[in-house]
C-alpha cells in the first residue's frame, strides 16, 4: 500500500483505529470496519482457516505479479526501440521478465512507424492469462484441497449442482473460492451478467439438462438431490453511491431487488413449465466488495427469499471474535435462528429446510476466513475498492481463472443478447484503459463438448461471430486501435484449456 492509498483508506474508514498484523507480522495502525477490537490486539478468529488463507494469498500474489510486470517490461522495451540490437534485447526482456516471447514482427517494423505498444500490451495480457490457465493445476493444488464447500459438502446439503450468477463486475470474479469458499468444479457453474441480471431462458435450459441427467439415473443419489441457483449482487460499504454496482447506477436497493426479481422469475418459469414444485432452491447473496463480507438472505420454509431478511457476516465476525470455535459456531446458529424468528417486516413463513440451513451456516462460517484474509493481506479493506480489471472475458467462463478484479466477465452466446453486459464492460474500460491510451483487451472464450461431433469447430465459429459483432458494435475504438480481441476455446471436461485460435493470435501480431 503506498502513501496515497493508505491516506485514502484512512479517510474512507468509519470506525476507530485498531492494530492489525500485516503479512510480515508487523502490527500497523489502520482503520477499517470489519474489526473493532481494542488497540494492541491482533484479529484472529477461532473459525478462520489460516493455512487456507496463506495458500490463497500465495496464489493471488503469483497471478498478480505476472500482470503487474507487463507495464514495467513494456516501458523498458520502449526505451530501447532505437537500439541496434532492439529485437534481441526486447525478446530477452520479455523472456526473462514475463516468461514468454513476443511476436518478432512487431519489433522488426518498429523503425518505420514506431513500436505498437497498444497491440503489444493486449498480446501480453492474453499471454499472461494463458500462463495462469496453464499453471492453474499446480498453482491451485494447495488451496483446492482445503476449500471447505466442496462437491461432497454441497451434496450433503442436498445439491447436485450450484449455478451461481454474480454481476459481471471484476470484483466478483474470485468469488467462488475466495468469498464463498465453494470449490470450483464441474458441479459449480458461474455465469456472470451485468447487475446479476441472468438470462431466465438460458437458466431453464441449464436446469432442464441437469434434470434429464438426474431423472435418467446418470447422477449418483439423484433422487434426493436438487439444483441450487444463487444470485449475487454487490455494494461498497464505504462508497455506496460511487463504487456499488455500475449496472444499477450504484443503487444498492435496486441491485438487491433486481437480483431477487430474477430468482423469483426463474422459479415461476420452471414451476409454470414443469409443474408446481419443480423449481430449484434459490439463494440471494450480497457481497460488500470493499471487505468481501456477505449478506446472506435467508429463505423461508417455502424457499421464498426476502430482501430484508438476511444475516451479515461482518457483524458475525465482530460478535464472535474472541470466542472458542465451539461457542462461536453455536452463536452463528443463534444469529441465524434469531433472524428467521424475528425478521420483522422481512419475516418469512416458517424456517428454511435443514440442507439449506447447513449450507447457509457453512457459507457464513467460511466467509469469516475471507474477512480475515482481507484484514490480514489487504489491510482490512481493499486498497482499490473500485474497478481494476485487466481485460474483458466474453462468452463462457474460463473455469481455472478465479481472482478478484482480474477480468470483467460477460457470459453470453450472442452479442445481441449480451450487448448490455458488454456495454457496461466497455464503459468501465473506457475509464480504466482508454482514458490512458491503453486498448481494451477482450478475450472471446467458448467451451465445447468433445463428445459432440464438430462441437469444437462450432465453438470457434461462434467465437469469430461474437468477435466480429463486438468489433462492429464499437467501431470508434477499433478505428483508433483501442479494442483488441482474441478468441480461445476450452474443452468442457477435458485437457484443452483456453487455447487461442491460431489465426486470431496471428491477427494480433
Ligand atoms: Zn455490478
Amino acid at each position: 500500500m503506498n502513501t496515497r492509498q493508505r491516506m485514502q483508506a484512512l479517510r474512507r474508514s468509519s470506525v476507530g483505529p485498531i492494530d492489525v498484523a500485516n503479512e510480515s507480522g508487523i502490527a500497523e495502525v489502520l482503520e477499517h470496519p470489519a474489526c473493532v477490537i481494542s488497540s494492541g490486539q491482533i484479529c484472529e478468529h477461532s473459525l478462520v482457516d489460516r493455512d487456507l488463507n496463506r495458500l490463497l494469498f500465495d496464489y493471488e500474489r503469483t497471478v498478480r505479479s505476472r500482470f503487474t510486470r507487463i507495464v514495467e517490461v513494456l516501458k523498458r522495451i520502449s526505451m530501447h526501440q532505437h537500439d541496434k540490437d532492439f529485437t534481441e534485447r526486447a525478446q530477452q526482456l520479455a523472456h526473462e521478465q514475463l516468461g514468454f516471447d513476443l511476436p518478432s514482427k512487431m519489433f522488426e517494423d518498429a523503425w518505420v512507424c514506431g513500436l505498437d505498444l497498444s497491440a503489444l500490451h493486449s498480446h501480453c495480457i492474453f499471454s499472461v492469462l494463458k500462463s495462469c490457465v496453464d499453471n492453474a493445476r499446480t498453482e491451485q493444488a494447495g488451496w483446492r484441497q482445503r476449500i471447505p464447500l466442496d462437491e461432497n459438502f454441497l451434496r450433503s446439503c442436498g445439491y447436485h449442482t450450484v449455478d451461481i450468477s454474480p454481476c459481471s463486475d471484476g470484483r466478483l470474479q474470485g468469488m467462488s473460492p475466495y468469498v464463498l469458499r465453494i470449490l470450483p468444479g464441474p458441479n459449480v457453474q458461474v455465469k456472470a451478467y451485468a447487475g446479476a441480471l441472468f438470462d431466465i431462458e438460458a437458466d431453464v435450459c441449464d436446469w432442464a439438462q441437469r434434470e434429464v441427467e438426474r431423472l435418467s439415473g446418470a447422477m449418483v443419489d439423484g433422487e434426493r438431490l436438487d439444483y441450487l441457483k444463487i444470485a449475487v449482487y454487490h455494494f461498497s460499504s464505504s462508497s455506496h453511491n460511487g463504487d456499488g454496482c455500475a449496472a444499477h447506477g450504484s443503487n444498492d436497493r435496486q441491485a438487491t431487488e433486481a437480483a431477487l426479481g430474477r430468482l423469483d422469475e426463474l422459479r415461476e418459469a420452471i414451476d409454470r413449465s414443469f409443474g408446481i414444485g419443480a423449481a430449484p432452491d434459490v439463494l440471494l447473496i450480497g457481497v460488500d466488495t470493499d471487505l468481501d463480507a456477505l449478506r446472506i438472505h435467508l429463505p423461508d420454509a417455502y424457499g421464498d427469499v426476502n430482501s430484508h431478511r438476511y444475516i451479515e457476516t461482518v457483524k458475525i465476525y465482530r460478535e464472535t471474535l474472541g470466542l472458542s470455535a465451539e461457542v462461536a459456531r453455536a452463536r452463528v446458529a443463534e444469529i441465524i435462528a434469531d433472524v428467521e424468528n424475528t425478521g420483522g417486516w422481512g419475516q418469512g413463513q416458517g424456517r428454511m429446510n435443514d440442507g439449506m440451513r447447513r449450507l447457509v451456516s457453512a457459507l457464513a462460517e467460511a466467509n469469516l476466513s475471507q474477512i480475515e484474509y482481507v484484514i490480514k493481506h489487504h489491510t482490512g479493506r481493499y486498497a482499490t475498492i473500485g474497478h481494476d480489471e485487466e481485460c474483458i472475458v466474453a462468452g463462457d467462463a474460463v473455469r481455472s481463472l478465479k481472482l478478484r478484479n482480474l477480468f470483467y466477465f460477460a457470459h453470453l452466446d450472442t452479442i445481441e443478447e449480451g450487448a448490455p453486459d458488454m456495454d457496461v464492460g466497455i464503459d468501465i474500460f473506457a475509464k480504466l484503459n482508454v482514458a490512458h491510451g491503453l486498448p481494451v483487451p477482450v478475450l472471446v472464450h467458448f467451451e465445447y463438448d468433445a463428445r459432440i461431433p464438430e462441437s469444437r469447430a462450432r465453438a470457434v465459429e461462434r467465437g469469430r461471430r461474437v468477435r466480429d459483432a463486438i468489433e462492429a458494435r464499437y467501431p470508434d475504438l477499433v478505428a483508433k486501435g483501442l479494442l483488441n480481441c482474441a478468441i480461445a476455446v476450452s474443452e468442457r471436461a477435458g485437457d484443452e484449456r483456453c487455447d487461442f485460435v491460431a489465426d486470431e493470435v496471428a491477427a494480433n501480431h
Side-chain angles (χ1 to χ4, degrees):
M1 205 185 212
N2 61 33
T3 310
R4 187 178 55 83
Q5 288 168 333
R6 191 184 301 272
M7 287 309 292
Q8 284 173 345
L10 287 170
R11 267 203 301 276
R12 279 195 303 266
S13 53
S14 53
V15 296
I18 59 148
D19 285 359
V20 178
N22 62 19
E23 62 181 283
S24 60
I26 301 165
E28 53 181 299
V29 177
L30 285 169
E31 300 179 36
H32 60 79
C35 190
V36 287
I37 55 173
S38 62
S39 184
Q41 284 179 279
I42 290 173
C43 283
E44 285 212 337
H45 195 290
S46 59
L47 293 176
V48 166
D49 185 342
R50 270 168 214 100
D51 289 337
L52 174 56
N53 278 1
R54 262 191 297 278
L55 292 164
L56 285 166
F57 185 60
D58 284 347
Y59 178 70
E60 175 177 1
R61 207 162 31 179
T62 304
V63 172
R64 292 239 189 268
S65 66
R66 286 200 183 104
F67 283 97
T68 50
R69 278 197 293 268
I70 292 176
V71 171
E72 197 50 44
V73 171
L74 290 183
K75 279 181 182 169
R76 287 175 66 188
I77 287 177
S78 162
M79 277 161 48
H80 293 293
Q81 61 180 306
H82 301 298
D83 294 359
K84 222 174 176 183
D85 57 348
F86 171 52
T87 303
E88 292 75 31
R89 201 181 263 255
Q91 288 295 18
Q92 192 189 350
L93 265 172
H95 206 81
E96 282 173 10
Q97 299 293 317
L98 301 172
F100 50 80
D101 290 331
L102 293 168
S104 291
K105 193 170 181 319
M106 296 180 83
F107 301 132
E108 287 156 10
D109 296 342
W111 70 275
V112 186
C113 40
L115 194 57
D116 187 350
L117 283 162
S118 146
L120 265 178
H121 180 263
S122 295
H123 182 90
C124 288
I125 296 281
F126 295 138
S127 297
V128 167
L129 274 180
K130 175 69 178 150
S131 308
C132 295
V133 171
D134 289 346
N135 292 309
R137 196 167 287 178
T138 321
E139 291 172 355
Q140 297 179 352
W143 58 254
R144 278 184 169 270
Q145 286 176 358
R146 286 191 75 92
I147 293 279
L149 279 70
D150 60 6
E151 184 173 354
N152 281 337
F153 180 83
L154 294 169
R155 290 173 77 87
S156 77
C157 298
Y159 301 112
H160 56 73
T161 303
V162 179
D163 172 342
I164 309 173
S165 280
C167 177
S168 298
D169 193 300
R171 291 169 291 180
L172 297 181
Q173 302 317 324
M175 204 189 58
S176 134
Y178 283 83
V179 184
L180 303 179
R181 305 276 164 135
I182 290 180
L183 182 66
N187 62 323
V188 177
Q189 291 189 45
V190 179
K191 297 176 291 184
Y193 298 84
L197 298 175
F198 58 85
D199 183 324
I200 305 278
E201 273 77 15
D203 267 26
V204 172
C205 288
D206 289 342
W207 170 85
Q209 185 172 343
R210 295 295 277 161
E211 271 300 274
V212 171
E213 289 175 41
R214 191 177 75 82
L215 295 170
S216 66
M219 194 180 281
V220 178
D221 279 346
E223 66 283 355
R224 68 165 190 87
L225 297 173
D226 202 352
Y227 190 100
L228 174 67
K229 175 74 195 184
I230 304 179
V232 184
Y233 66 91
H234 64 102
F235 56 95
S236 160
S237 55
S238 63
S239 175
H240 281 284
N241 298 322
D243 291 295
C245 186
H248 296 295
S250 219
N251 180 326
D252 298 347
R253 168 68 44 210
Q254 191 180 317
T256 313
E257 295 293 348
L260 175 59
R262 285 288 152 119
L263 289 174
D264 287 342
E265 285 168 33
L266 175 67
R267 294 172 74 204
E268 194 176 337
I270 292 176
D271 271 349
R272 281 189 184 183
S273 309
F274 299 91
I276 300 290
D281 280 2
V282 299
L283 192 58
L284 178 66
I285 292 178
V287 177
D288 174 355
T289 52
D290 298 359
L291 315 174
D292 280 351
L294 299 180
R295 249 184 220 167
I296 307 173
H297 294 256
L298 305 182
D300 68 9
Y302 295 90
D304 288 335
V305 179
N306 185 300
S307 58
H308 303 286
R309 189 175 60 247
Y310 55 77
I311 52 168
E312 288 180 286
T313 54
V314 72
K315 287 187 181 161
I316 291 177
Y317 183 89
R318 288 176 193 158
E319 200 177 323
T320 54
L321 191 64
L323 302 179
S324 71
E326 200 183 339
V327 176
R329 206 166 270 141
R331 184 67 196 123
V332 174
E334 272 173 24
I335 291 169
I336 292 172
D338 283 352
V339 173
E340 279 187 297
N341 294 334
T342 56
W345 47 297
Q347 198 163 355
Q349 297 183 61
R351 305 177 71 193
M352 62 188 143
N353 68 56
D354 289 345
M356 180 61 85
R357 177 181 311 282
R358 186 172 160 79
L359 176 66
V360 165
S361 308
L363 279 168
E365 180 174 328
N367 183 248
L368 301 178
S369 290
Q370 183 63 13
I371 289 174
E372 202 168 291
Y373 179 93
V374 179
I375 290 172
K376 192 153 189 170
H377 298 300
H378 294 280
T379 57
R381 177 185 281 141
Y382 285 107
T384 306
I385 60 165
H387 290 280
D388 197 23
E389 295 94 335
E390 303 286 351
C391 67
I392 293 177
V393 175
D396 292 328
V398 182
R399 289 177 191 260
S400 45
L401 285 180
K402 308 278 176 201
L403 200 60
R404 183 185 190 271
N405 255 347
L406 195 60
F407 54 90
Y408 175 94
F409 172 39
H411 178 84
L412 51 86
D413 285 325
T414 67
I415 198 66
E416 289 82 1
E417 291 167 359
D421 306 86
M422 276 306 294
D423 289 349
V424 173
I426 293 288
D427 275 352
I428 289 166
F429 274 83
K431 298 181 191 98
L432 275 182
N433 283 24
V434 176
H436 304 285
L438 280 173
V440 187
V442 180
L443 174 64
V444 178
H445 172 259
F446 284 104
E447 286 188 336
Y448 66 93
D449 186 337
R451 296 170 301 185
I452 301 172
E454 300 301 316
S455 178
R456 187 183 189 283
R458 281 193 294 275
V460 171
E461 265 318 297
R462 182 178 299 138
R464 290 200 174 110
R465 268 199 311 275
V466 169
R467 186 269 322 266
D468 293 347
I470 289 173
E471 290 180 350
R473 189 167 178 87
Y474 310 104
D476 291 351
L477 289 178
V478 175
K480 293 175 189 157
L482 289 171
L483 184 72
N484 287 323
C485 296
I487 300 171
V489 293
S490 300
E491 186 183 345
R492 190 161 299 146
D495 288 333
E496 187 181 18
R497 302 264 165 84
C498 197
D499 273 357
F500 284 78
V501 175
D503 60 28
E504 309 305 331
V505 173
N508 275 308
H509 284 195

